[in-house]
Amino acid sequence: MDEEELNKKLENIDLPEIELPDYIGNLRMALLESEYANNKRDASIFTKVPNWIKRYVYIAADSLTPKRLNWKLALVSTLAIALVISMSVFIPPLVNQTPGNESLVKVDDWRLGNKTLSSNGTTITGGGSTVTSGGTAVTSTVGSQPPPTVKLPQPTVVVPGISPDPIGLSVGGANDINNFRENIANDYLPLPTDMTYEGLFYDYYFDTGQTEECDELFCPSYSYAVTNDPFSGETEYYLSVGLNSGIKESEFQRKKLNLVIVLDVSSSMSGSFGEYYYDQFGEKVELSEEDQGMAKIEVAKQSIVAMLDHLDDEDRLGIVLFNRDAYLAKPINLVGETDMEAIGEHILDIEVKGNTNLYSGMVMATDLFEDLRDVDQSEYENRIIFITDAMPNTGETEQGSFLSKLEQSAENHLYSTFIGIGVDFNSELIEHITKTRGANYYSVHAPAQFKERMDDEFEYMVTPLVFDLQLTLEAEGWEIEKVYGSPEANEATGELMKVNTLFPSKMEGGETKGGLILLKLKKITEDSNLKLKASYEDRNGNQKSIESTVVFNNEEPEFFANSGIRKGVLLARYADLIKNWLIDEYEHAHFSYPWEPRVNNEDGIIVPSAMLGEWERQSLPLYVSPPYKELFRQFSEYFQNEVEAIGDETLTQGLEILEILLTTNNQD
Amino acid sequence: MYYWRKIILDQERILVERAKNDKEAFAELYDKYCSQILGYVIKRTANIEVAQDVTSQVFFKAYKNIGQFQWRGVPFSSWLYKIASNEITNHFRERKRRRQYLENNYDSEVTPNPSPESELAQAQEDLQKYEEFLSVHENISKLSFKYQEVITLRYFEHKQLKDIGVILGKNEGTVKSLLYRGLKKLRILME
């Protein structure tokens, strides 16, 4: 049966029309005579009156009963009621007329004339300030910090009494491998760093192997697998760490946000997108003609406007633009007191020019938080969102400088998100610097796609929950060989795994998006016991730890405790193979002599080298050397079998990539 | 068309506000939506007894909690559908626990089977006549709940993707993807 047939069948199916008049009548009667109905019968405006007022009313009524006639008490209570009513009638208008409330008039505090962004950074209108190249002379102006206004809660539809799905956790760092997919789709050779393990894992939902109810912020669960390498047949051992949380979606509420958006307005942002991209389900999405020709800056601007929708009145927003220099476009002020519509229009008017001095934007944005250092950390979250193609070419360009700047900010509870724009987004730089505590990054390929993602994930994106997770392995017989699914994987030693940050993550059907970290273990002796101690810090700085024991029973390959770890192993092998291929292709791109691929039938899928070298983002054409074509063909068969065994069809997007690579016509 | 929709929604908003304190107003909402919700639950469960049980729960919960309902410009029925979807999921996922919970908490209000025997028997007999529906339903019920929900709402309740999004609390793109993946899985099951 094909798609069309099924569609027709479902549309034309004869649906049951069952009449149950007696049932409907009985239920109606039961409802209207229920306990709730009787309570509602008494319901009046009185039910909304605070208890202390009710108490006076009861006293007054009680005092006036014939048995306990007490005129003095009745008089006092009645006067109290009258006073309360008078206050409620007259005081609100007075409050509204206080001088403090004049600020209810919303202010357009945009400071730049957009078309005056000069490539030499000197011509700024509207009182904006600049940071010169190198970021040494910062003269930013922070907006006044008026007292917070009282904000009514946002309207929500509550479905009370129904326990909603819990939420899980996932690691920081990359939140997709969109850039990898888009490079393949546009016939470019991706960078090895375009394929991140955590980004790949975040594209999928995992059974975390959780068997017990979780009442804590974080409850790790452990599962293991014994499986053979698909090429060498060598037996491998894996342990998965399931990232579970006891938080319910309904209980989740992000803190108020002090947010500075830093937008790259350099010339490279005027480049356009490709013709299509791959969505999170691996489906090829054709971009409209309008979107195809759209410059990166247009996508970036629309992405910012999409994010503004998620800010509340009590959040604060500031905006910095940078090219060769940094410009304060909007001081950091309360959203409730800002004319956000006007700000949105200013953003859409921005034009690009000049070199890229990412560091200067970083310095100015960090400086905007100077006056907010004393805000209550338990109430406010501080975050800078960088929107850039990440190709700094002037000012400070060393990875180390960016990293130390971000680390320094993170120590002061100021965290970063990077949103990468464009097919030539430099993932290598961003992958490196978002290993910082509280950091994460996304890549954007179409405004509509990004808007949808923000609708789903903005609240989670800005809310780190668990910090400095350390997993210590106490086991005579085992050591950690490699960690998959965490940006800090390279920091792991034989006995210790570190993860800087865990963010909340969506759950569907009991599975968590990106809710798994995978450890490849090396068997040293026959001692099969593993003692694991997970320690972490919560968002209030409290240290916690949990100890567990895992025993590898004498299972033979292929053994997987659940589909989650099986999916993790498949994806880890897939990513390793792809990374090895990319390293080989880049390393041999300029050499004509014969070479051997890193992956072979003797060694199997080896862990890719960490020494990736320094690359500029090059637009090398997509190329698959003959040895890798054969490896991909063999791996596709293994992949197909695993997809069937796991039963998750979203995995076929990996197969589709392999299919593209197998059919690539190399241009020698 | 827009203005008609707005007028109807305005009227419903007023009725919902009244229903927070007035049982007769709630009765009006019940009369308007009970058959629709019951029909949806029957199409999801293909079981008259379960459908009656679930529908009773839906309306007791709606009645109990209508005070907390915040109007956001979407029909009241979307809220009822949302409760119904959750109740169906709860029913199948936690049948045991839920029964125990109901015994402890809802005995006084819920009549597990308020339909007379004759009506129930007739309805069950009528349902068996829809062989094609039952055969498709059998396959749909093998899918995850998330797919069951979107397929039933789209094809059996004829809801627009946007409305399904409102009911399930997901955005339209997610609904579209769920529908696509659900149909793909259903196709395999039906082959």
Side-chain angles (χ1 to χ4, degrees):
Chain A
M1 178 181 288
D2 66 16
E3 199 175 323
E4 205 177 324
E5 273 178 307
L6 175 63
N7 212 26
K8 208 174 273 180
K9 188 179 174 96
L10 289 173
E11 272 173 3
N12 298 323
I13 200 162
D14 192 15
L15 295 168
E17 297 291 341
I18 309 285
E19 298 286 331
L20 291 164
D22 289 338
Y23 162 75
I24 289 175
N26 288 350
L27 178 57
R28 190 180 199 275
M29 201 179 298
L31 263 174
L32 299 181
E33 288 176 4
S34 67
E35 187 189 318
Y36 312 133
N38 293 331
N39 289 340
K40 279 179 203 293
R41 197 176 296 151
D42 296 334
S44 65
I45 196 161
F46 187 61
T47 58
K48 293 178 181 170
V49 174
N51 285 337
W52 65 274
I53 299 179
K54 283 182 194 170
R55 203 160 48 238
Y56 277 108
V57 175
Y58 285 132
I59 290 169
D62 198 32
S63 308
L64 286 166
T65 54
K67 280 183 190 170
R68 302 178 58 181
L69 196 62
N70 184 340
W71 289 104
K72 280 183 187 171
L73 193 52
L75 187 64
V76 170
S77 300
T78 309
L79 283 173
I81 298 162
L83 183 64
V84 167
I85 293 169
S86 312
M87 282 166 67
S88 64
V89 170
F90 294 112
I91 288 181
L94 289 176
V95 169
N96 287 335
Q97 287 164 23
T98 57
N101 272 10
E102 283 163 10
S103 59
L104 287 174
V105 175
K106 300 196 171 190
V107 177
D108 173 5
D109 55 354
W110 191 259
R111 293 188 164 210
L112 292 181
N114 294 317
K115 295 183 181 176
T116 59
L117 285 184
S118 159
S119 60
N120 64 15
T122 52
T123 320
I124 311 290
T125 61
S129 52
T130 66
V131 176
T132 56
S133 302
T136 48
V138 182
T139 51
S140 63
T141 310
V142 180
S144 62
Q145 304 301 324
T149 51
V150 176
K151 193 192 78 171
L152 290 170
Q154 294 293 307
T156 49
V157 175
V158 182
V159 184
I162 298 170
S163 179
D165 281 341
I167 53 178
L169 298 168
S170 65
V171 300
N175 278 267
D176 54 58
I177 55 160
N178 284 345
N179 221 47
F180 167 78
R181 293 207 179 95
E182 206 196 355
N183 271 275
I184 300 266
N186 288 285
D187 288 332
Y188 291 124
L189 193 64
L191 289 177
T193 47
D194 286 343
M195 171 61 88
T196 57
Y197 300 106
E198 75 273 15
L200 178 66
F201 279 24
Y202 196 71
D203 264 355
Y204 298 93
Y205 286 82
F206 291 88
D207 172 358
T208 61
Q210 184 183 14
T211 51
E212 289 168 16
E213 191 85 7
C214 175
D215 296 323
E216 298 287 329
L217 173 64
F218 174 52
C219 306
S221 53
Y222 304 100
S223 310
Y224 68 93
V226 183
T227 167
N228 290 338
D229 179 291
F231 291 115
S232 68
E234 283 293 309
T235 302
E236 296 176 336
Y237 301 89
Y238 290 90
L239 179 77
S240 69
V241 184
L243 307 174
N244 313 298
S245 172
I247 298 176
K248 301 280 182 291
E249 201 172 351
S250 60
E251 294 163 0
F252 175 80
Q253 192 175 10
R254 73 163 166 84
K255 293 186 205 174
K256 289 174 218 167
L257 190 61
N258 292 321
L259 174 68
V260 172
I261 294 175
V262 180
L263 173 64
D264 182 346
V265 292
S266 63
S267 299
S268 62
M269 291 289 282
S270 62
S272 63
F273 275 77
E275 293 173 357
Y276 51 89
Y277 67 92
Y278 280 81
D279 70 11
Q280 58 181 315
F281 305 109
E283 305 299 336
K284 185 175 160 183
V285 180
E286 301 282 348
L287 285 171
S288 65
E289 275 187 30
E290 192 185 350
D291 281 356
Q292 281 178 31
M294 191 181 271
K296 285 184 274 184
I297 186 67
E298 296 305 321
V299 177
K301 290 187 304 193
Q302 292 190 25
S303 300
I304 296 176
V305 173
M307 275 193 287
L308 298 187
D309 277 350
H310 295 276
L311 297 179
D312 295 331
D313 284 357
E314 285 182 300
D315 296 329
R316 291 190 181 94
L317 172 71
I319 297 177
V320 169
L321 310 181
F322 72 92
N323 47 28
R324 179 180 157 177
D325 302 308
Y327 312 95
L328 179 63
K330 183 195 175 308
I332 188 161
N333 282 324
L334 280 169
V335 167
E337 296 174 357
T338 305
D339 182 349
M340 294 300 282
E341 205 171 314
I343 298 299
E345 282 169 19
H346 291 304
I347 290 167
L348 294 174
D349 280 345
I350 291 170
E351 290 181 0
V352 298
K353 210 173 201 181
N355 292 335
T356 312
N357 187 347
L358 175 60
Y359 193 77
S360 68
M362 215 174 251
V363 170
M364 181 177 273
T366 311
D367 261 52
L368 286 181
F369 285 90
E370 278 292 310
D371 283 10
L372 297 172
R373 279 205 176 154
D374 296 332
V375 297
D376 183 354
Q377 298 293 338
S378 65
E379 196 182 356
Y380 273 92
E381 192 81 49
N382 294 330
R383 184 162 290 268
I384 304 176
I385 297 183
F386 295 90
I387 303 187
T388 175
D389 56 7
M391 295 197 284
N393 55 12
T394 190
E396 188 59 77
T397 57
E398 288 294 316
Q399 279 185 356
S401 308
F402 292 122
L403 190 63
S404 65
K405 184 75 193 160
L406 291 183
E407 279 174 345
Q408 197 185 343
S409 298
E411 277 171 23
N412 294 320
H413 306 282
L414 169 56
Y415 306 117
S416 311
T417 294
F418 280 80
I419 293 175
I421 304 276
V423 69
D424 50 357
F425 164 58
N426 186 344
S427 63
E428 188 184 0
L429 171 64
I430 302 306
E431 200 252 349
H432 187 70
I433 63 181
T434 52
K435 293 185 193 305
T436 320
R437 177 184 163 110
N440 48 15
Y441 85 84
Y442 295 74
S443 50
V444 182
H445 299 287
Q449 172 217 21
F450 184 69
K451 184 177 183 312
E452 192 176 305
R453 260 191 107 167
M454 286 299 100
D455 287 347
D456 273 354
E457 294 176 26
F458 181 81
E459 310 290 320
Y460 293 172
M461 178 178 90
V462 297
T463 312
L465 287 180
V466 172
F467 293 104
D468 296 335
L469 169 63
Q470 296 202 1
L471 186 73
T472 314
L473 189 72
E474 282 179 30
E476 291 293 319
W478 303 94
E479 67 180 44
I480 300 171
E481 186 181 346
K482 167 80 180 164
V483 176
Y484 296 96
S486 141
E488 300 82 8
N490 293 337
E491 292 175 31
T493 65
E495 300 79 33
L496 186 70
M497 175 197 85
K498 287 182 186 172
V499 176
N500 281 337
T501 323
L502 296 179
F503 288 83
S505 187
K506 287 201 306 183
M507 287 188 77
E508 267 191 27
E511 298 189 338
T512 305
K513 190 173 188 196
L516 198 83
I517 299 173
L518 187 70
L519 280 68
K520 187 175 183 181
L521 299 178
K522 194 186 277 180
K523 193 173 186 178
I524 310 292
T525 67
E526 288 304 314
D527 184 350
S528 57
N529 291 337
L530 285 98
K531 277 191 185 163
L532 297 152
K533 184 179 172 189
S535 53
Y536 65 95
E537 188 184 312
D538 69 16
R539 58 199 293 186
N540 297 322
N542 303 315
Q543 297 286 339
K544 300 195 173 173
S545 69
I546 310 150
E547 291 187 17
S548 313
T549 302
V550 175
V551 180
F552 271 73
N553 297 322
N554 292 321
E555 272 88 6
E556 294 292 316
E558 298 291 307
F559 172 79
F560 299 92
N562 51 54
S563 70
I565 190 168
R566 189 163 196 163
K567 201 183 290 184
V569 170
L570 174 66
L571 294 172
R573 283 173 175 163
Y574 168 70
D576 273 350
L577 178 61
I578 295 282
K579 274 177 172 288
N580 278 307
W581 159 60
L582 291 168
I583 292 169
D584 270 331
E585 297 297 358
Y586 270 96
E587 201 161 287
H588 301 284
H590 305 295
F591 300 99
S592 55
Y593 58 79
W595 53 273
E596 289 294 322
R598 282 151 211 267
V599 177
N600 55 49
N601 286 328
E602 196 178 327
D603 299 327
I605 305 174
I606 61 160
V607 173
S609 162
M611 306 290 286
L612 299 180
E614 296 286 323
W615 294 296
E616 290 292 321
R617 174 96 239 186
Q618 305 167 59
S619 49
L620 283 183
L622 186 62
Y623 188 89
V624 184
S625 302
Y628 273 101
K629 283 222 169 177
E630 177 53 26
L631 288 166
F632 288 152
R633 193 192 58 72
Q634 289 178 39
F635 192 76
S636 292
E637 286 173 21
Y638 158 73
F639 202 115
Q640 177 72 55
N641 292 336
E642 287 300 288
V643 172
E644 282 164 22
I646 293 166
D648 178 356
E649 287 192 14
T650 60
L651 285 164
T652 53
Q653 57 186 317
L655 267 181
E656 284 164 17
I657 292 283
L658 289 170
E659 186 65 25
I660 294 172
L661 298 179
L662 281 171
T663 53
T664 295
N665 292 318
N666 294 327
Q667 296 166 359
D668 291 315
Chain B
M1 192 67 182
Y2 169 77
Y3 290 106
W4 279 116
R5 186 178 154 80
K6 193 172 178 308
I7 288 166
I8 290 165
L9 279 179
D10 280 349
Q11 286 172 346
E12 187 165 273
R13 181 174 57 79
I14 293 164
L15 187 59
V16 169
E17 283 308 313
R18 270 181 48 217
K20 289 181 180 177
N21 292 310
D22 177 357
K23 69 175 182 176
E24 291 308 323
F26 188 84
E28 274 187 57
L29 289 168
Y30 173 85
D31 292 342
K32 190 172 172 187
Y33 292 120
C34 185
S35 297
Q36 195 177 336
I37 296 299
L38 177 65
Y40 168 61
V41 182
I42 289 174
K43 285 166 209 153
R44 280 289 307 276
T45 59
N47 182 316
I48 304 294
E49 263 185 293
V50 171
Q52 289 187 351
D53 188 18
V54 169
T55 307
S56 302
Q57 284 305 317
V58 172
F59 281 95
F60 271 106
K61 285 196 169 165
Y63 197 23
K64 186 180 178 188
N65 298 301
I66 192 169
Q68 294 172 54
F69 176 82
Q70 304 278 324
W71 184 263
R72 288 202 307 183
V74 294
F76 181 67
S77 61
S78 296
W79 191 56
L80 294 176
Y81 271 108
K82 186 168 187 167
I83 300 176
S85 286
N86 287 338
E87 278 302 296
I88 292 163
T89 306
N90 286 351
H91 179 89
F92 287 113
R93 269 197 190 149
E94 304 167 17
R95 197 177 291 191
K96 261 189 187 172
R97 196 164 67 81
R98 186 170 166 276
R99 275 193 185 149
Q100 204 172 5
Y101 178 76
L102 288 176
E103 277 163 21
N104 296 337
N105 294 277
Y106 284 100
D107 265 1
S108 59
E109 295 104 19
V110 177
T111 317
N113 177 16
S115 194
E117 284 297 322
S118 57
E119 184 178 78
L120 181 63
Q122 183 61 48
Q124 277 168 340
E125 203 182 311
D126 289 347
L127 183 63
Q128 295 314 310
K129 291 175 190 162
Y130 294 87
E131 286 173 14
E132 195 186 14
F133 164 77
L134 292 173
S135 146
V136 172
H137 178 271
E138 195 185 338
N139 286 312
I140 292 176
S141 65
K142 289 175 188 160
L143 300 172
S144 311
F145 291 115
K146 60 187 177 186
Y147 300 129
Q148 292 185 31
E149 283 171 342
V150 290
I151 291 173
T152 310
L153 287 167
R154 181 77 186 91
Y155 290 98
F156 299 165
E157 294 295 301
H158 306 293
K159 298 277 181 201
Q160 299 293 320
L161 294 180
K162 191 180 165 193
D163 298 331
I164 298 173
V166 171
I167 291 167
L168 300 179
K170 299 180 189 302
N171 63 44
E172 206 177 324
T174 308
V175 172
K176 207 171 166 183
S177 306
L178 284 173
L179 192 62
Y180 174 78
R181 284 188 277 154
L183 289 176
K184 213 167 163 184
K185 285 174 190 289
L186 181 61
R187 216 164 63 225
I188 294 166
L189 288 171
M190 289 176 68
E191 272 167 5

